[in-house]
């Protein structure tokens, strides 16, 4: 009997075996701790590359949280004996439960509890954050899911690396391939940080050298000592590896120093940035020129309150859209293919918008805007914005639709502003030139898109305006003053003395100067002066916006449709963009405006095409009609109830959903084992079921042992079950149904006894763990038992004398 059971002469005593196993567990724990520290250090070094893209180091909290979840889940799963799948479930649950605290504290309840919005951001980030990170302008502060990117990268990379080290590496002791594969996680974070970064680098050479040094030293020491038993041989190997480590450190220091000098001179200017290669420009051709809809405000909605603004000062103009390209039919923002360095382009942007150095400012503005009867894409602003914060309405959820052009200082929301939207803007106000300051200053030479030939009447009138002036600034002032002096203001309303056609195409410009008196409004005068400035070679642009007549210094200013205006801007060296307002204020137009023109063109000029078949039909600046949402008259739930319910329900669902799935799998396993197959197979399945359930509770099941040996090693109550299972499989008679029923009852009793002895956490672990062995096969069918992982052997005589 003793020889059969193999407990004398074949295996060490139980006490000695326990000592060896305890020593092995201690060594494994030390190795796991070292591995975790190395993976964390490498991932942290790699994550520092995110700093230029995020503009600060606040993202390191998210990285630390990701490392805690990734490494912690792997270590917990290894200690509790969880499968890789169950460990992954633990990591996913922790990712969502703790993600708000680590990555999105500003959006969570109390900075810790998740909300529906934070959970959506955590789910959206793995898919969309990579795309947005390389298309948004830096720093990456909005949309909010961008803050999750370092958190997700650290979580997934550290989790995968630790799974390799804890589950795969032990099966290949001494192999260098598993640890090498584990390094792919930190390397992926390093590549990701480079991919989403900017042309600036945070000690790139130094970080790369440190990364390589730590990885090489770790790989060399992690191989252990193999089968070397001699103490002297081990000491010699330790000295050899220590010497090699010192040489590696010295070489890495020399290469890092030399590489830093070389890179600073040759590589810095050649750095390729992904965001500059794939940033999609905003296509202005899909949107109507806002200047074409000028009279939609001045004539059709003069009394409509478009939005409320706080923080305005007297004389401030609200910028709506900056238009640099003239097609002969309308002023428009430059086309994507014409978006040269001078005009810039509208790109995805976060809260802190790209800076514009071409400004002279000695004062700042802090505006608060609340949208009312305004529904266009253009974002009203003042001066040169430096920070745009979407605070209310639907804007925070649509922050990914925000585009900004740092060259023009203008922004837009592709999905359009809506009633109830609120936002805040911090901006620099361009200084106004004092008399004589720009008289001898040159205009900045900017390469603006070409424009068609101007009407001869306009060119001749311009030449008469600037006669005798040689300074660019004085020429422009002469044009501005002449248009104000000669022109009359008319929006074409019923109260105006004479009609005034809308539009600013070449035909309207020619008509403006063909008449005896100039009649029009800001749309025509700003366009006319900008065309004249372009004829002189100056890079003029037209700006449409609002100029409230009365500004509340301490309160909120209502901006109405009648406040709409347009002006011209021209850049001057060392100063910035200077605004010119050529629109006259006088409205008493003489009755006879159809007499012969004052000046006739001296050369034959092809007449410009008509741009409006119906003069009174005004273009609107809305891209497409939007259906207004009907207000809901029904009573709504309190605003705090929904996020509170979500904060409580989501953790509960994440906790119970895996429990339900695993419970269903266990029920199916039990039903198949108890009721399918012949009596001997069902008896063998009873043993498999008992040993699986003990393993799920955390009991260590020794491999490649007989059923009786396994039962003695795991739990005394299993001895009877093992014996009866062996008799059913190898005996002369098949078990009866009553015997099988009693066997299964004893299995449940044994497991219940083990559960009562186990603590709460082991019982909880058992509920979240699913283990199944290969189906037992009877010796009667000519097959040698079960898979070794069942911890039992079906061969005759394996468990009997």
């Amino acid at each position: 009997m003793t020889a059969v059971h193999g407990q004398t002469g074949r295996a060490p005593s139980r006490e000695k075996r326990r000592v060896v196993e305890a020593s092995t567990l201690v060594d494994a724990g030390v190795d796991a701790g070292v591995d975790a520290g190395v993976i964390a250090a490498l991932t942290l070094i790699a994550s520092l590359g995110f700093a230029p893209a995020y503009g600060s180091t606040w993202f390191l909290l998210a990285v630390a949280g990701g490392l805690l979840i990734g490494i912690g889940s792997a270590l917990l799963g290894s200690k509790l004996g969880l499968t890789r799948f169950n460990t992954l479930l633990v990591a996913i649950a922790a990712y969502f439960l703790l993600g708000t605290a680590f990555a999105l504290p500003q959006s969570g309840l109390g900075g810790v509890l998740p909300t529906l919005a934070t959970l959506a951001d955590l789910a959206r980030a793995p898919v969309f954050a990579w795309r947005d990170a390389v298309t948004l302008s830096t720093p990456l502060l909005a949309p909010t899911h961008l803050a999750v990117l370092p958190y997700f990268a650290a979580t997934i990379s550290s989790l995968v690396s630790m799974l390799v080290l804890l589950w795969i590496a032990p099966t290949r002791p001494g192999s260098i391939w598993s640890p090498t594969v584990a390094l792919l996680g930190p390397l992926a974070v390093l590549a990701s940080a480079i991919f989403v970064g900017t042309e600036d680098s945070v000690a790139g050479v130094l970080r790369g050298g440190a990364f390589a040094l730590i990885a090489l030293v770790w790989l060399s020491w992690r191989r252990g000592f193999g089968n070397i038993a001699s103490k002297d041989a081990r000491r010699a190997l330790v000295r050899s590896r220590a010497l090699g480590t010192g040489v590696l450190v010295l070489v890495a220091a020399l290469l890092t120093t030399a590489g830093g000098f070389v890179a600073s001179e040759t590589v810095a200017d050649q750095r390729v940035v992904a965001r500059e290669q794939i940033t999609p420009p905003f296509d202005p051709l899909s949107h109507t020129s806002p200047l074409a809809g000028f009279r939609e405000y001045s004539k059709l909605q003069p009394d409509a309150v478009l939005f409320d603004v706080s923080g305005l000062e007297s004389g401030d103009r609200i910028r709506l859209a900056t238009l640099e390209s003239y097609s002969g039919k309308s002023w428009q923002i430059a086309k994507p293919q014409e978006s040269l360095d001078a005009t810039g382009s509208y790109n995805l942007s976060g809260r802190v918008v790209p800076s514009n150095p071409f400004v002279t400012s000695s004062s700042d503005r802090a505006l608060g805007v609340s949208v009312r009867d305004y529904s266009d894409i253009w974002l009203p602003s003042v001066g040169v914005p430096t920070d745009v914060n979407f605070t209310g309405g639907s804007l925070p959820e649509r922050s990914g639709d925000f585009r900004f052009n740092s060259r023009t200082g203008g922004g837009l929301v592709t999905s359009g502003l809506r009633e109830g939207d609120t936002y805040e803007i911090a901006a620099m106000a361009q200084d106004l030139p004092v008399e004589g300051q720009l008289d001898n200053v040159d205009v900045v030479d900017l390469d603006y898109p070409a424009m068609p030939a101007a009407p001869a009447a306009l060119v001749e009138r311009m030449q008469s305006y600037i006669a005798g002036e040689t300074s660019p600034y004085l020429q422009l002032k002469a044009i501005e003053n002449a248009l104000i002096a000669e022109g009359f203001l008319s929006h074409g309303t019923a109260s105006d003395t004479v009609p005034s056609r809308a539009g600013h195409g070449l035909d309207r410009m020619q008509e403006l100067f063909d008449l005896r008196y100039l009649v029009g409004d800001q749309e025509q005068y700003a366009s006319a002066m900008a065309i004249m400035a372009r004829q002189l070679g100056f890079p003029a642009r037209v700006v449409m916006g609002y100029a409230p007549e009365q500004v509340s210094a301490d309160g909120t200013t209502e901006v109405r449709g009648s406040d709409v205006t347009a002006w011209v801007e021209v850049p001057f060296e060392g100063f910035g963009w200077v605004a010119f307002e050529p629109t006259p204020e006088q409205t008493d137009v003489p009755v006879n405006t159809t007499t012969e023109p004052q000046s006739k063109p001296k050369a034959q000029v092809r007449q410009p095409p008509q741009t409006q078949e119906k003069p009174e039909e005004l273009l609107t600046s809305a891209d497409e009609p939007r259906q207004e949402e009907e207000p809901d008259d029904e009573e709504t739930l309190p605003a705090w109830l929904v996020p509170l319910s979500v904060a409580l329900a989501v953790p509960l669902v994440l906790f119970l959903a895996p429990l339900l799935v695993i419970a269903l799998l266990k029920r199916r396993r039990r039903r198949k084992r108890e009721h399918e197959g012949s009596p001997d197979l069902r008896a063998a399945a009873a043993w498999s079921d008992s040993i699986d359930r003990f393993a799920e509770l955390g009991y260590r099941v020794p491999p490649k042992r007989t059923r009786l040996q396994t039962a003695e090693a795991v739990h005394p109550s299993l001895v009877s079950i093992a014996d009866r299972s062996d008799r059913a499989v190898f005996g002369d008679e098949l078990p009866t149904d009553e015997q099988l029923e009693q066997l299964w009852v004893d299995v449940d009793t044994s497991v219940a006894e083990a559960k009562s002895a186990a603590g709460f956490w082991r019982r909880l672990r058992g509920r979240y763990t699913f283990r199944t062995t290969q189906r037992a096969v009877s010796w009667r069918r000519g097959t040698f038992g079960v898979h070794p992982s069942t911890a039992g052997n079906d061969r005759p005589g394996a468990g009997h004398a």
Side-chain angles (χ1 to χ4, degrees):
M1 175 73 73
T2 304
V4 172
H5 286 287
Q7 295 182 3
T8 302
R10 287 190 176 184
S13 65
R14 183 174 300 178
E15 291 76 10
K16 185 176 180 180
R17 185 168 64 249
R18 288 177 178 174
V19 172
V20 172
E21 290 174 354
S23 176
T24 302
L25 289 175
V26 171
D27 293 339
V30 172
D31 291 341
V34 173
D35 292 342
V38 170
I39 295 299
L42 293 178
T43 305
L44 184 60
I45 292 174
S47 300
L48 292 175
F50 287 114
Y54 285 93
S56 63
T57 57
W58 60 265
F59 69 92
L60 291 177
L61 174 62
V63 173
L67 291 174
L68 177 64
I69 292 171
I71 296 176
S73 298
L75 292 176
L76 181 64
S78 176
K79 183 173 181 61
L80 298 180
L82 303 180
T83 63
R84 278 168 286 185
F85 177 74
N86 288 336
T87 302
L88 180 61
L89 291 179
V90 171
I92 293 174
Y95 171 83
F96 282 99
L97 288 175
L98 303 179
T100 301
F102 286 118
L104 301 168
Q106 71 282 358
S107 303
L109 291 177
V112 177
L113 295 178
T115 64
L116 187 60
T118 60
L119 292 174
D121 285 336
L122 290 169
R124 188 184 299 115
V127 180
F128 299 106
W130 306 98
R131 176 203 65 187
D132 295 341
V134 295
T135 54
L136 279 167
S137 58
T138 57
L140 302 176
L141 300 181
T144 53
H145 65 261
L146 286 173
V148 184
L149 181 57
Y151 173 70
F152 171 76
T155 300
I156 191 66
S157 64
S158 60
L159 176 63
V160 171
S161 296
M162 292 303 297
L163 287 177
V164 171
L165 293 172
L166 295 175
W167 268 265
I168 299 179
T171 64
R172 297 174 174 85
S175 173
I176 198 66
W177 292 110
S178 297
T180 303
V181 171
L183 289 176
L184 294 179
L187 281 173
V189 177
L190 183 65
S192 301
I194 295 174
F195 180 71
V196 304
T198 67
E199 63 275 6
D200 299 324
S201 176
V202 179
V205 177
L206 180 60
R207 286 192 301 112
F211 187 99
L213 177 63
I214 295 175
L216 290 175
V217 171
W218 175 66
L219 287 176
S220 65
W221 283 91
R222 197 185 186 283
R223 297 190 64 180
F225 299 100
N227 296 324
I228 300 176
S230 171
K231 292 185 178 180
D232 293 337
R234 284 175 175 257
R235 290 172 182 171
L237 184 58
V238 169
R239 287 194 298 269
S240 176
R241 290 185 178 177
L243 179 61
T245 301
V247 172
L248 277 176
V249 173
L250 180 60
V251 172
L254 292 176
L255 290 178
T256 301
T257 303
F261 285 112
V262 173
S264 62
E265 298 295 333
T266 61
V267 180
D269 296 335
Q270 303 176 12
R271 183 180 177 91
V272 178
V273 181
R275 67 180 61 255
E276 294 181 355
Q277 307 298 322
I278 63 177
T279 300
F282 170 71
D283 184 8
L285 299 182
S286 60
H287 301 272
T288 306
S289 169
L291 192 61
F294 187 89
R295 292 194 183 178
E296 179 181 354
Y297 301 108
S298 65
K299 183 178 180 179
L300 302 182
Q301 303 181 60
D303 298 324
V305 179
L306 305 179
F307 44 86
D308 298 325
V309 183
S310 61
L312 281 178
E313 296 186 9
S314 179
D316 285 346
R317 288 184 295 267
I318 299 175
R319 180 184 302 269
L320 194 64
T322 303
L323 314 172
E324 314 97 335
S325 179
Y326 186 65
S327 64
K329 295 182 179 181
S330 65
W331 283 93
Q332 182 63 279
I333 62 177
K335 302 176 183 178
Q337 57 269 30
E338 295 177 348
S339 295
L340 310 175
D341 291 339
T343 60
S345 59
Y346 286 83
N347 298 321
L348 282 164
S349 178
R351 172 175 175 176
V352 178
V353 297
S355 60
N356 182 358
F358 193 58
V359 60
T360 301
S361 175
S362 57
S363 61
D364 297 328
R365 300 288 187 273
L367 303 184
V369 182
S370 178
V371 179
R372 295 174 66 177
D373 195 12
Y374 176 80
S375 58
D376 211 340
I377 65 171
W378 311 98
L379 191 75
S381 62
V382 169
V384 180
T386 57
D387 184 281
V388 179
N389 182 23
F390 295 149
T391 57
S394 61
L395 278 180
E397 289 76 24
R398 296 185 291 122
S399 58
D401 298 338
F402 178 51
R403 306 291 192 276
F404 189 81
N405 187 334
S406 60
R407 293 292 184 180
T408 64
L412 55 86
V413 178
T414 56
S415 54
L417 295 176
R418 304 168 187 172
E419 185 176 2
D421 289 342
T422 60
Y423 59 94
E424 298 173 349
I425 288 183
M428 298 183 294
Q430 170 67 46
D431 291 343
L432 299 177
V434 297
E435 186 176 356
Q437 181 179 0
L438 301 178
D439 289 354
N440 298 313
V441 177
D442 292 331
V443 170
V444 178
D445 184 15
L446 298 178
D447 188 13
Y448 264 14
M451 58 178 290
L458 181 147
V459 175
E460 184 176 347
R461 193 70 67 93
M462 175 201 68
Q463 292 174 347
S464 66
Y465 290 162
I466 65 172
E469 301 292 350
T470 57
S471 165
Y473 179 75
L474 294 179
Q475 288 177 340
L476 292 169
K477 289 299 291 184
I479 294 174
E480 178 188 40
N481 293 332
L483 291 175
I484 293 175
E486 294 184 4
F488 295 89
L489 176 62
S490 173
H491 294 295
T493 61
S495 60
D496 293 325
T497 56
V498 295
S500 171
R501 185 162 67 92
H504 55 276
L506 289 177
D507 64 317
R508 182 66 178 91
M509 293 296 96
Q510 178 170 309
E511 177 186 289
L512 178 66
F513 292 99
D514 275 345
L515 300 178
R516 178 181 295 275
Y517 301 106
L518 307 182
V519 180
D521 56 15
Q522 291 89 339
E523 178 188 0
Q524 288 78 47
Y525 288 110
S527 177
M529 181 175 179
I531 295 174
M532 290 181 179
R534 289 288 187 91
Q535 295 300 310
L536 294 173
F538 304 150
R541 64 190 188 186
V542 176
V543 182
M544 179 178 168
Y546 303 92
E549 295 182 1
Q550 297 181 352
V551 175
S552 176
D554 301 326
T556 299
T557 300
E558 291 185 344
V559 179
R560 301 179 180 273
S562 58
D563 296 325
V564 67
T565 187
W567 64 92
V568 178
E569 290 183 346
V570 179
F572 285 84
E573 293 282 0
F575 187 78
W577 291 89
V578 177
F580 297 89
E581 298 184 84
T583 304
E585 295 183 358
Q586 54 185 342
T587 57
D588 297 331
V589 185
V591 176
N592 184 9
T593 62
T594 59
T595 57
E596 294 183 0
Q598 284 186 337
S599 60
K600 297 181 180 179
K602 295 182 179 180
Q604 295 294 327
V605 179
R606 185 177 59 183
Q607 299 300 313
Q610 294 287 329
T611 60
Q612 296 181 358
E613 297 180 0
K614 299 179 181 181
E616 295 301 325
E617 182 179 348
L618 303 177
L619 297 175
T620 64
S621 53
D623 305 317
E624 57 185 26
R626 301 189 185 94
Q627 295 181 354
E628 297 293 336
E629 298 181 358
E630 297 182 359
D632 189 3
D633 295 332
E634 298 180 1
E635 295 184 1
T636 58
L637 297 174
W640 55 266
L641 184 58
V642 174
L644 180 60
S645 301
V646 171
L648 296 176
V650 169
L652 190 61
V653 170
L654 293 176
F655 178 80
L656 294 178
L659 189 64
L660 177 61
V661 173
I662 294 174
L664 292 175
L665 291 175
K666 290 182 177 181
R667 181 179 179 182
R668 179 176 177 272
R669 178 186 68 184
R670 172 62 178 263
R671 184 172 61 252
K672 292 184 64 175
R673 287 175 169 176
E674 187 175 1
H675 300 289
E676 293 183 6
S678 59
D680 55 319
L681 287 178
R682 289 153 59 190
W687 164 256
S688 298
D689 194 74
S690 64
I691 206 66
D692 283 342
R693 294 165 71 179
F694 269 84
E696 290 167 354
L697 285 173
Y699 285 84
R700 185 178 181 276
V701 179
K704 300 181 180 180
R705 306 256 182 110
T706 65
R707 289 191 179 96
L708 194 56
Q709 291 172 340
T710 301
E712 292 175 348
V714 176
H715 198 273
S717 63
L718 291 175
V719 174
S720 174
I721 298 173
D723 181 67
R724 282 180 285 173
S725 295
D726 280 345
R727 292 182 184 278
V729 172
F730 306 120
D732 296 332
E733 297 181 359
L734 291 174
T736 64
D737 290 341
E738 291 76 11
Q739 291 174 329
L740 287 176
E741 183 178 356
Q742 184 60 43
L743 179 61
W744 279 100
V745 170
D746 291 344
V747 168
D748 293 336
T749 303
S750 177
V751 173
E753 181 182 346
K755 285 184 177 179
S756 62
F760 169 78
W761 293 110
R762 290 183 64 183
R763 290 197 298 272
L764 182 63
R765 169 194 182 278
R767 293 180 180 275
Y768 279 90
T769 306
F770 179 76
R771 179 181 186 270
T772 183
T773 59
Q774 183 177 337
R775 183 178 178 180
V777 180
S778 174
W779 172 256
R780 300 174 189 276
R781 296 180 178 267
T783 305
F784 285 100
V786 299
H787 191 274
S789 63
T790 60
N793 198 322
D794 289 339
R795 287 180 291 178
H800 300 276

